[in-house]
Amino acid sequence: MRTQVAIIGSGPSGLLLGQLLTDAGIDNIILERSSKAHVLERIRAGVLEEGACDLLDRAGAGERMHQEGLPHDGFDLTFDGKRHRIDLFGLTGGKRVMVYGQTEVTKDLMDRRDATGGKTFFEAADVRPHDFGSGKPYVTFSHGGAEHRLDCDFIAGCDGYHGASRKAVPADAMKLFERVYPFGWLGLIAEVPPVNHELIYANHPRGFALCSMRSHTRSRYYVQVSLDEKVEDWSDDRFWDEIRRRLPASTAEAMTIGPSIEKSIAPLRSFVAEPMRFGSMFLVGDAAHIVPPTGAKGLNLAASDVHYLFEGLREFYADGSSAGVDAYSERALARVWKAERFSWWMTSLMHLFPEIGGYGGPFGQRMQEAELEYLVGSRAASTALAENYVGLPY
Ligand code: RFL
Ligand code: PHB
């Protein structure tokens, strides 16, 4: 088999890149380890920057997002029993975010791929990139009981944090940066109306909480938990009691509760692999970097990586110039590190940290409160938060 771009992974990065390439007449094949149903079931991100929305439009997959997604002009921060609104729209000169689930983004991109005849191998096992140091890379995999070889010009490693692409790179060719946080997020989805029409990020002495949503009738809530917590120990009642304790009384009283549809715990991590290009293989999205979800940047960074890589590949095939693919890693990383900083900062500001090495504890809590007071009291500080939250320019 032969294609121009072999894409490993059918998450948002792989699907978005594949669609932009297909629409530009550049041949591509996606190799995905899981089944289509499994990929569609994963519940993850909820907040899209305008840049990500524009790319979905460009890929012809934005129609339902505009009909069903919820544009948000701001969000609330709560701490010390008080609630403050960050006016994203006013502070950024008219920018907003779109609340639309990653599950829906994935479905829209998969539908569009099916409609435009894009080829995907689901349940492809043992996917391995080879010879990407040369100009003749290829990928091997097994599918339906047979071994396959896919020759290509380029490999796009869109296979997430646990994927095969980054693992195929020799350790001495890569620099890894990592911070693992001493807590995770327990998330719950329930078919109940959201407590507020916008998101609420809560700092509380019992730990962080987040009130988000998927629609006017479906809520997505999170509470910070320690890493040794088990999801089985969290009944719905325990979750609802805990999240309400972390919100101002009037907000807690307004919350509608109901049975959960899904509940899971995700650890929090900051991670970057440099560079993001190895010869003819590129790492894209979570394969190259992870942010803690506090700033809602993971999926949005996957989208900006795709933008830089797609532009490079388009230039390569249309004009025969390798300038764009040569600049991919540097361009992508410049934006990645700014989002890493923002996500780390917002995580540090909002969570309860155990007392370790002079951080956290009662002093740390006072530092957070002082910074939060400053943040909501200073237009300059609020503007810095808002411009990062809506997304820095590509
Ligand atoms: P994905 O989505 O992990 O997709 C990778 C795909 O590759 C497949 N794969 C393989 N295929 C073939 N061979 C292999 N060896 C393979 N190994 C893996 C996988 O099955 C999968 O289909 O990576 P991608 O496309 O880069 O997309 C990244 C985003 O999914 C991720 O950054 C976001 O979900 C992060 N995130 C959020 N991002 C936001 O922008 N806004 C948010 O509000 C937000 N909230 C979140 C989040 C992530 C969360 N969790 C659970 C990690 C909230 C949570 C709780
Ligand atoms: C979500 O709705 O899942 C969500 C929203 C905002 C975040 C993280 C996750 O910062």
Side-chain angles (χ1 to χ4, degrees), residues 172-381:
D172 61 1
M174 221 176 358
K175 216 168 173 178
L176 304 181
F177 301 84
E178 184 170 44
R179 169 141 311 180
V180 178
Y181 299 88
F183 41 73
W185 280 18
L186 168 63
L188 169 150
I189 287 205
E191 207 60 39
V192 291
V195 65
N196 187 39
H197 69 290
E198 291 175 344
L199 271 58
I200 302 174
Y201 289 84
N203 171 290
H204 190 273
R206 294 182 65 85
F208 171 75
L210 171 60
C211 306
S212 182
M213 66 193 73
R214 289 294 175 271
S215 70
H216 294 305
T217 56
R218 182 172 280 208
S219 299
R220 176 68 161 152
Y221 292 121
Y222 298 94
V223 290
Q224 172 187 352
V225 292
S226 75
L227 285 173
D228 49 24
E229 288 288 348
K230 298 205 170 28
V231 74
E232 308 82 77
D233 295 334
W234 283 84
S235 65
D236 289 356
D237 284 345
R238 182 176 173 204
F239 182 95
W240 293 119
D241 286 345
E242 186 60 40
I243 193 163
R244 285 180 293 184
R245 290 177 79 168
R246 298 183 187 189
L247 295 167
S250 58
T251 309
E253 280 154 25
M255 186 178 267
T256 309
I257 64 171
S260 64
I261 301 169
E262 193 259 3
K263 233 180 326 191
S264 57
I265 295 180
L268 266 65
R269 178 193 305 275
S270 296
F271 171 83
V272 181
E274 287 185 354
M276 288 169 60
R277 178 198 183 174
F278 303 90
S280 29
M281 181 166 79
F282 306 92
L283 299 183
V284 184
D286 278 17
H289 41 73
I290 297 289
V291 286
T294 325
K297 290 285 165 249
L299 174 56
N300 292 301
L301 278 184
S304 56
D305 288 355
V306 166
H307 164 79
Y308 296 123
L309 183 56
F310 168 67
E311 289 302 332
L313 291 170
R314 198 180 52 81
E315 232 175 88
F316 180 86
Y317 286 108
D319 315 330
S321 159
S322 63
V325 290
D326 290 343
Y328 168 69
S329 179
E330 199 181 327
R331 279 188 189 152
L333 281 167
R335 193 168 190 280
V336 164
W337 274 114
K338 293 191 190 93
E340 289 283 348
R341 186 211 65 83
F342 175 67
S343 306
W344 160 84
W345 169 77
M346 203 161 158
T347 302
S348 312
L349 179 68
M350 299 305 294
H351 290 76
L352 172 67
F353 279 77
E355 179 93 64
I356 28 171
Y359 295 93
F363 181 79
Q365 177 73 19
R366 283 287 185 276
M367 287 296 101
Q368 289 180 341
E369 285 165 10
E371 184 159 9
L372 283 161
E373 288 287 357
Y374 170 61
L375 198 57
V376 300
S378 154
R379 191 175 170 89

Side-chain angles (χ1 to χ4, degrees), residues 63-75:
E63 200 179 324
R64 201 163 62 97
M65 170 188 74
H66 289 293
Q67 285 162 8
E68 297 175 18
L70 308 172
H72 281 196
D73 289 352
F75 64 83

Side-chain angles (χ1 to χ4, degrees), residues 8-13 31-34 39 42 44-47 102 127 158-160 163-164 222 266 284-286 293 296-300:
I8 308 178
S10 176
S13 340
L31 307 174
E32 164 61 47
R33 179 178 59 186
S34 302
V39 175
R42 289 190 301 226
R44 288 182 167 182
V47 177
Q102 180 168 332
V127 177
C158 302
D159 47 355
Y222 298 94
V284 184
D286 278 17
K297 290 285 165 249
L299 174 56
N300 292 301

